Amino acid sequence: MPRTSVSCIHRSSTLCWAAMLTVYGDIRSGNCLKVRWLLTRLGIDYQWIETDIMSGTTRTPEFLKMNPAGQLPTAVLADGRALAQSNAILVHMAEGSPWIPADPFARAKMFEWLFWEQYSHEPYIAVARFQRTLGGKAEADVEPRLMERGRAALARMEAALAAADWLAGDGPTIADLALVAYTRVAPEGGFDLEPCPAVRAWIARVEAVFGIV
């Protein structure tokens, strides 16, 4: 399997069953960071293989054999099975934890937000940020549609969080973790969070719960 020169192992004295869990991720990616944050918060042992998304590593035959989509993050479980898509990894790793609601409706709302994040939030806020921070584009060169849809996503979140502290149920879930990854850095893509006080307060709550710095 392809490896970059930087890796780290997080260890826990209480959970040793996942000692060989390996996560391929780019530290600059919110999708990758959300997985890292959850594993660390749960105290699960894992090896992090820093993988530069811009280097072409994820398009090599070796990586594509592991993950045919050629995307990050990719988690390789202790038994060798690979799992892709950040939110799918979150669901698998958080199963049985407090971060997945026991109530069926709250759990369904959690999934509703997870699906929405990847369809109506990440493709705009994350892509605009990518173009600005990694692509080197000036603000005026970012596609207007990205900004329009990104602002609409933030407005949707502001409305929801003005009425409740958390996105699904009465407490924090992996839906909050998934959404906070790119929302907290939305200004790097040119999005102003000043008009979103509920979102800003929620970001602080999620960061505190999951130990995000």
Side-chain angles (χ1 to χ4, degrees):
M1 294 179 184
R3 293 179 178 236
T4 58
S5 59
V6 179
S7 65
C8 61
I9 299 177
H10 289 243
R11 299 196 178 279
S12 164
S13 60
T14 57
L15 291 173
C16 60
W17 59 269
M20 299 304 295
L21 170 66
T22 300
V23 180
Y24 294 81
D26 189 322
I27 200 68
R28 299 168 297 182
S29 162
N31 283 329
C32 296
L33 282 174
K34 67 176 78 164
V35 172
R36 182 169 178 154
W37 292 332
L38 178 66
L39 293 174
T40 300
R41 183 65 179 83
L42 290 173
I44 294 177
D45 290 357
Y46 67 97
Q47 182 180 25
W48 178 273
I49 305 297
E50 184 64 22
T51 308
D52 185 352
I53 191 65
M54 306 290 284
S55 69
T57 299
T58 62
R59 310 310 302 176
T60 62
E62 293 83 6
F63 194 94
L64 291 172
K65 183 178 180 180
M66 176 175 61
N67 177 0
Q71 296 174 328
L72 298 174
T74 296
V76 180
L77 307 183
D79 61 9
R81 291 179 297 172
L83 185 61
Q85 297 298 321
S86 59
N87 290 348
I89 298 171
L90 293 186
V91 171
H92 179 70
M93 296 301 172
E95 193 66 54
S97 78
W99 317 125
I100 295 184
D103 175 74
F105 184 76
R107 185 184 179 99
K109 293 296 289 186
M110 177 198 76
F111 277 110
E112 178 184 314
W113 281 106
L114 290 175
F115 298 149
W116 180 84
E117 187 261 346
Q118 287 290 291
Y119 186 79
S120 299
H121 181 283
E122 190 266 1
Y124 309 110
I125 293 177
V127 172
R129 173 180 177 254
F130 180 89
Q131 291 185 1
R132 292 285 300 276
T133 61
L134 294 181
K137 284 191 175 184
E139 181 178 358
D141 295 329
V142 176
E143 184 182 352
R145 177 173 174 270
L146 294 179
M147 304 307 296
E148 177 186 350
R149 295 291 181 88
R151 285 190 288 268
L154 291 172
R156 167 77 179 90
M157 293 181 66
E158 178 67 16
L161 292 164
D165 287 344
W166 308 103
L167 293 174
D170 298 327
T173 70
I174 57 173
D176 296 288
L177 183 62
L179 264 299
V180 86
Y182 282 113
T183 303
R184 68 195 292 266
V185 294
E188 295 178 10
F191 299 98
D192 185 9
L193 293 182
E194 191 61 29
C196 304
V199 169
R200 287 187 281 110
W202 165 82
I203 290 172
R205 288 194 296 273
V206 178
E207 288 177 336
V209 166
F210 287 97
I212 299 169
V213 295

